[in-house]
Amino acid sequence: MIDNKTSLNRLYRGARIAAAATALLVMLGCDNDKEVDPPAELTKIQSTRDVHRVWSAGLGGDSERLRLALKPNVVEGNVYAASHDGEVISVAAATGKRNWIVKTKLSLSAGPEVGGGLVVLGSSDGDIVALDATNGAQRWKKAIASEILAQPLVVNDIVVIRTVDGHIEGLSVTDGATKWAVDEQVPRLTLRGTAPPVLAGDRIIAGFDNGKVLAIDPRNGEVMWDTIVNSPRGRTELERLSDIDSPARISGDDIFVVGFQGRVAMLARDSGQIWWARDASSYRGFAMDEQNLYLTNADSVVIAMRRSDGAVQWEQNAMRRRGLTAPAIDGDALVVGDFEGYMHWLDKATGAIVARQKTDGERITNAAVTDAERVFVQTDSGKLLAFRSKSREVKTADSGQ
């Protein structure tokens, strides 16, 4: 177990990291003495994809500019979602009909994760809450004393939690008791955000703000290997930012990761060996299919890269600086959201913009999620929407670039 002194030290460290992240946001976007290139204006497109809104639901809990990790989760025909003011809902994916709603009274900031019969969420104050997936009843709650900006992960009988100060903790799925903990040192100055832990076979993969990727045994917290993917470069703290803030993607024995001001790389699952790496900069993340990975870079350019070697297949740069989310795959298209609440569909083969829809006009921070038929997205104002899209029979060759 973690003693009170350790928890207090980690709380202080988390506060310092939060202050540094705030300072970074000021440097990046709020300095009135420096000229900042404006976001690209949206231009008219020739739509070749039909998009329809299926349903919407309001959660409330405006989180504008907080950059939280609240996004829908679709499991067995139900959508689970949460708002910053503590509301958690379960609705039918097909219709939006409510199954249940719970008010946790927590400042929720990450999740929900659904697994083991639980809906697990984290808060800005370092609380973990586990709800019953069938009715929303609270099963347990635990305080970790550091902000959580990464979706939790349920692996068998363990709930894995990642906090902003480089701490990963394995909790009992039954009662939240601590089973193990791993700490990785993080730089004084980091971007706001943390990479969520993901499961790769028999190990947990997690990226850190120091450019490292760790493989952790979920049974006991043993670090199986660690690899530096992003080596900090430059003389200033700003130049040396090398955060890995987006989730790794797993395909068989291959692990794909990307970092800010660094590289996108393919690693071996068993050893962490880097098979290939290409210069890239992203804190948004990427989606992946059997041929390509689709990346939103730090300048909101969407790039398709061949999985086998990282070769660039196409780039879509018509939405520069619009704060695009990571792409989500919607059949033969990709979908990204932007800072004005627009959803943009891109042709997977060419990168052409083939459709556009507006939500409620509020920023979309997190990538959409999809099932076989629909696209689900949550805006920073707490609006949850479901769309259905389909490519038309005849397409017009238009790159949209």
Side-chain angles (χ1 to χ4, degrees), residues 318-342:
M319 297 173 286
R320 282 184 182 273
R321 298 175 295 279
R322 291 191 63 84
L324 296 186
T325 67
I329 295 176
D330 180 22
D332 58 355
L334 305 171
V335 58
V336 295
D338 74 14
F339 79 108
E340 289 185 316
Y342 283 99

Side-chain angles (χ1 to χ4, degrees), residues 141-197:
K141 187 170 76 169
K142 181 183 180 68
I144 291 188
S146 185
E147 185 178 21
I148 299 161
L149 287 177
Q151 180 171 322
L153 173 68
V154 176
V155 182
N156 299 324
D157 61 346
I158 297 292
V159 175
V160 184
I161 301 298
R162 165 75 193 279
T163 65
V164 298
D165 59 355
H167 180 77
I168 294 186
E169 193 164 331
L171 310 176
S172 167
V173 76
T174 304
D175 58 9
T178 298
K179 296 297 185 180
W180 51 260
V182 175
D183 287 282
E184 182 69 23
Q185 186 174 3
V186 299
R188 188 178 69 87
L189 185 65
T190 69
L191 296 175
R192 179 167 172 78
T194 48

Side-chain angles (χ1 to χ4, degrees), residues 42-52 316 319 330 333-338 342-347 351-358 387-392 395 398-400:
L42 295 181
T43 58
K44 187 176 180 179
I45 63 169
Q46 184 172 354
S47 177
T48 59
R49 190 175 188 88
D50 294 319
V51 179
H52 303 284
Q316 173 54 266
M319 297 173 286
D330 180 22
L334 305 171
V335 58
V336 295
D338 74 14
Y342 283 99
M343 302 282 289
H344 310 269
W345 275 259
L346 283 63
D347 188 298
I353 303 172
V354 294
R356 180 181 296 144
Q357 284 279 322
K358 193 165 188 178
F387 295 93
R388 182 180 285 114
S389 80
K390 183 179 180 180
S391 182
R392 296 175 190 164
K395 289 185 178 181
D398 178 7
S399 69

Side-chain angles (χ1 to χ4, degrees), residues 176-334:
T178 298
K179 296 297 185 180
W180 51 260
V182 175
D183 287 282
E184 182 69 23
Q185 186 174 3
V186 299
R188 188 178 69 87
L189 185 65
T190 69
L191 296 175
R192 179 167 172 78
T194 48
V198 300
L199 185 64
D202 62 348
R203 59 202 65 192
I204 298 162
I205 304 298
F208 288 85
D209 296 339
N210 57 8
K212 277 188 181 180
V213 176
L214 268 61
I216 300 169
D217 190 327
R219 298 169 299 178
N220 53 26
E222 178 187 352
V223 176
M224 304 170 80
W225 53 255
D226 65 83
T227 298
I228 296 178
V229 174
N230 272 9
S231 296
R233 293 173 291 181
R235 289 180 292 182
T236 69
E237 288 184 297
L238 191 59
E239 290 173 335
R240 292 176 62 80
L241 288 170
S242 58
D243 303 44
I244 298 177
D245 281 349
S246 59
R249 301 294 181 188
I250 313 300
S251 177
D253 291 330
D254 298 324
I255 298 170
F256 297 82
V257 296
V258 66
F260 181 65
Q261 298 186 145
R263 301 188 293 176
V264 57
M266 184 176 81
L267 286 66
R269 183 178 67 87
D270 61 346
S271 65
Q273 179 179 348
I274 297 175
W275 293 122
W276 62 257
R278 297 286 182 270
D279 288 345
S281 177
S282 176
Y283 52 90
R284 299 295 186 183
F286 59 96
M288 192 168 66
D289 61 18
E290 293 182 356
Q291 287 78 39
N292 297 322
L293 59 86
Y294 305 94
L295 170 77
T296 299
N297 75 10
D299 202 29
S300 289
V301 176
V302 184
I303 305 169
M305 305 177 74
R306 195 163 56 207
R307 269 181 47 171
S308 59
D309 58 7
V312 173
Q313 305 300 292
W314 53 256
E315 294 187 6
Q316 173 54 266
N317 56 24
M319 297 173 286
R320 282 184 182 273
R321 298 175 295 279
R322 291 191 63 84
L324 296 186
T325 67
I329 295 176
D330 180 22
D332 58 355
L334 305 171

Side-chain angles (χ1 to χ4, degrees), residues 29-104:
C30 303
D31 189 342
N32 295 326
D33 295 330
K34 295 182 180 180
E35 292 186 7
V36 178
D37 291 332
E41 294 287 340
L42 295 181
T43 58
K44 187 176 180 179
I45 63 169
Q46 184 172 354
S47 177
T48 59
R49 190 175 188 88
D50 294 319
V51 179
H52 303 284
R53 183 184 296 190
V54 182
W55 54 260
S56 64
L59 284 86
D62 189 4
S63 61
E64 187 180 4
R65 290 184 289 274
L66 293 179
R67 303 297 190 274
L68 304 179
L70 296 171
K71 61 184 293 187
N73 198 337
V74 188
V75 178
E76 296 181 351
N78 293 314
V79 181
Y80 301 85
S83 65
H84 187 49
D85 65 0
E87 193 169 279
V88 186
I89 64 170
S90 168
V91 301
T95 64
K97 182 179 179 181
R98 183 185 298 172
N99 299 318
W100 52 259
I101 181 170
V102 170
K103 296 183 183 297
T104 65

